[in-house]
Amino acid sequence: MVETQPARRATNAGPGRLLIAVYLLFAIAATSRAGLQIATKFDEAPVAYLLSALAALIYIVAAIGLARAGHTGRRVALACCSVELVGVVAVGILSVVDKDLFPDETVWSQFGSGYGYIPLVLPVLGLYWLWRTRRDPA
C-alpha cells in the first residue's frame, strides 16, 4: 500500500471563487481611486494616496495568490492577507486617533468605513479560507 499525502483543497474552488472576485473588485476600486488621487491631487495627502495604492497592490497580489491555488499561491496569499490585516488595523487606529495624519481618506482609513468595513473583514475571511483549505490532517 502506498501512502499518499493528504489532499489539499484548492483555494480557487467553491467559496474561494467569491473571495477572489471580491479581492478583484477591491483591486479595481482601490487602483482607480489611488490612481485618480495621485494624478490629480497628490500634493494634498501623499501618504494617504500612496497607502491606497499599496492596498490596491495587495488586493491584486492576494487575488492572484488565491487564484493560483498552489503552494506558492497559498504562501503569497497568506503574506498578503497578513500584511493587509496589519495595515487596515494600524491605519484604522491611526486615522481615528490622529485625524490630521490623514488629511484625506485611504481605503483603510477608519478600518475601511468608506467601503462598508469590507477592508477590515476581507483579510480575516482570506486568512480563514487559507486555514480552511489547508492540507487535511492525516
Side-chain angles (χ1 to χ4, degrees):
M1 177 179 266
V2 175
E3 278 190 44
T4 60
Q5 291 185 352
R8 181 180 296 187
R9 291 185 276 179
T11 57
N12 61 0
R17 289 182 182 184
L18 178 60
L19 186 62
I20 293 165
V22 173
Y23 265 104
L24 289 173
L25 178 65
F26 269 77
I28 293 166
T31 301
S32 300
R33 177 181 186 162
L36 181 65
Q37 290 170 326
I38 289 169
T40 60
K41 52 185 184 173
F42 182 72
D43 55 329
E44 292 177 23
V47 173
Y49 304 148
L50 289 174
L51 280 171
S52 287
L54 175 64
L57 180 63
I58 289 172
Y59 292 142
I60 292 166
V61 176
I64 292 168
L66 289 166
R68 286 198 52 185
H71 177 72
T72 302
R74 291 180 67 81
R75 292 183 74 159
V76 166
L78 179 62
C80 286
C81 290
S82 299
V83 169
E84 177 189 357
L85 182 58
V86 169
V88 75
V89 170
V91 171
I93 290 170
L94 289 172
S95 65
V96 169
V97 171
D98 187 2
K99 294 183 189 293
D100 293 335
L101 193 57
F102 297 99
D104 201 357
E105 289 192 7
T106 73
V107 175
W108 294 341
S109 292
Q110 298 176 7
F111 307 100
S113 64
Y115 290 87
Y117 298 99
I118 294 172
L120 179 61
V121 175
L122 194 57
V124 173
L125 291 175
L127 291 168
Y128 173 73
W129 185 245
L130 289 166
W131 175 79
R132 185 98 159 84
T133 59
R134 73 196 185 287
R135 190 181 310 267
D136 290 332

